[in-house]
Amino acid sequence: MAADVTPPAMIPPPGAKAFLAKHGWAEADILPVAGDASFRRYFRAVEPDRSAILMDAPPPHENPRPFIAIARWLVERGFAAPAIHGVDLEQGLVLIEDFGDNRMRETVDETPEKAAGLYEAAIDVLIALRAHDPGDIPPYDAAVLHREANLLTEWFCPAVGIVADQPGYDVAWDAVFDLALASPKVTVLRDFHAENLMLIGPSVAGGEALGLLDFQDALAGHPAYDLVSLLQDARRDVAPELEAVMLDRYKHITGEGDALDAAYHVLGAQRNAKILGIFTRLWKRDGKTRYAALCPRVWTYLERDLAHPALGPVKAWFDANIPVDKRGDPMTIDA
């Protein structure tokens, strides 16, 4: 594990108390909240009759400005992103609305009969995003798609002893990326999945309202990308049957057709290749072994995507470069 990339322990930053006091939370207890795969840390500021979330996004590792800007953009358009209660950019501290602990992930796992309704609610959020031009965010263009896909050849392949054909990899993706770029752009939240969707009460339409988290890396891109994030969830199994039903719902409401299917699987393959690289890096570089164990699920999704006819060139590269016995948990594969 590289010491210079190890996130700090879950101890509140030195300036937390003064920051909270400045924004009217002087009496709050500061309790740790589970974090994510980044340097960001989260704490709950708790008083007898209220609570808020303290985000610690320490510079230079983290920059909270995109989160703040996109949260405000979402709220202005009626989406349930956390309200911003206070900001100190110099320290990287942000005080935000507390959506509680009721995540979609645990609700679906513990009460499977609620899965269809909750996934429908999530699909409806993505449909609603289509009604708005993207925010002032960078494009999710071919250069970004290539850079992300290359995380597989940069991290996963060496970890399992594969010297990959990088030029061939680039050519294979070039042959399919146009399918993922030929669409009106939307704000792509990029980590739109069950662990980042909070159940915050009934919606106006009578279903479950979903609070949005972890959108600071949003880009302007194809609407199918967030569908993949949701329906090919690297952290929980989504049955192919449920995936198909939700895609049909999305297409029926939006009028999308076969082009959406092709883009979905191209972006699914790209995202899953990226995730395999990221999860391997989290293990190899950062010592977070639990991420390597998620790779077999990601391979299942990736192979599902590669089976789509639009992915012919990419499938051919994978078949030529990564044997079946190397497609799994990189910690358990001999290099």
Side-chain angles (χ1 to χ4, degrees), residues 73 126 129-142 144-145 148 177-190 217-227 250 256 260 263 267 270:
W73 184 91
L126 297 183
L129 272 173
R130 293 170 60 102
H132 303 278
D133 291 334
D136 184 16
I137 49 179
Y140 214 154
D141 57 19
V144 177
L145 291 171
E148 293 180 341
F177 274 159
D178 282 352
L179 295 170
L181 297 170
S183 175
K185 301 299 183 286
V186 302
T187 294
V188 179
L189 303 180
R190 296 182 75 197
D217 296 323
L219 296 173
H222 198 291
Y225 189 92
D226 280 341
L227 281 170
Y250 184 91
E256 294 276 10
L260 186 281
L267 289 168
Q270 186 271 351

Side-chain angles (χ1 to χ4, degrees), residues 67-282:
F67 176 89
I68 296 164
I70 296 161
R72 288 172 172 161
W73 184 91
L74 289 166
V75 169
E76 288 168 0
R77 286 154 183 81
F79 295 96
I84 308 298
H85 298 319
V87 176
D88 183 330
L89 292 176
E90 185 174 337
Q91 295 187 79
L93 297 176
V94 186
L95 190 65
I96 66 175
E97 181 181 359
D98 185 0
F99 282 161
D101 294 317
N102 193 11
R103 295 195 305 184
M104 178 175 163
R105 163 68 191 264
E106 286 75 19
T107 301
V108 170
D109 289 350
E110 294 166 8
T111 53
E113 66 274 13
K114 295 183 178 180
L118 290 174
Y119 274 95
E120 286 178 358
I123 291 292
D124 291 348
V125 171
L126 297 183
I127 292 170
L129 272 173
R130 293 170 60 102
H132 303 278
D133 291 334
D136 184 16
I137 49 179
Y140 214 154
D141 57 19
V144 177
L145 291 171
H146 270 294
R147 185 169 68 247
E148 293 180 341
N150 285 346
L151 291 168
L152 178 117
T153 51
E154 181 182 355
W155 288 97
F156 182 87
C157 288
V160 299
I162 291 174
V163 179
D165 170 18
Q166 184 66 46
Y169 191 65
D170 295 338
V171 169
W173 285 115
D174 275 332
V176 303
F177 274 159
D178 282 352
L179 295 170
L181 297 170
S183 175
K185 301 299 183 286
V186 302
T187 294
V188 179
L189 303 180
R190 296 182 75 197
D191 275 312
F192 187 84
H193 56 75
E195 290 191 2
N196 286 333
L197 296 173
M198 309 302 295
L199 279 57
I200 57 174
S203 69
V204 175
E208 186 72 45
L210 298 178
L212 308 178
L213 300 176
D214 203 9
F215 42 71
Q216 61 280 339
D217 296 323
L219 296 173
H222 198 291
Y225 189 92
D226 280 341
L227 281 170
V228 170
S229 300
L230 177 69
L231 301 177
Q232 294 190 359
D233 190 332
R235 292 165 176 80
R236 72 175 305 272
D237 292 325
V238 178
E241 297 79 10
L242 180 61
E243 179 185 20
V245 167
M246 292 302 143
L247 280 174
D248 285 346
R249 175 185 177 83
Y250 184 91
K251 290 190 293 182
H252 175 73
I253 295 173
T254 62
E256 294 276 10
D258 291 344
L260 186 281
D261 286 328
Y264 176 88
H265 288 291
V266 168
L267 289 168
Q270 186 271 351
R271 176 176 168 82
N272 288 316
K274 172 182 73 171
I275 290 173
L276 288 168
I278 291 172
F279 284 179
T280 304
R281 182 177 67 192
L282 286 166

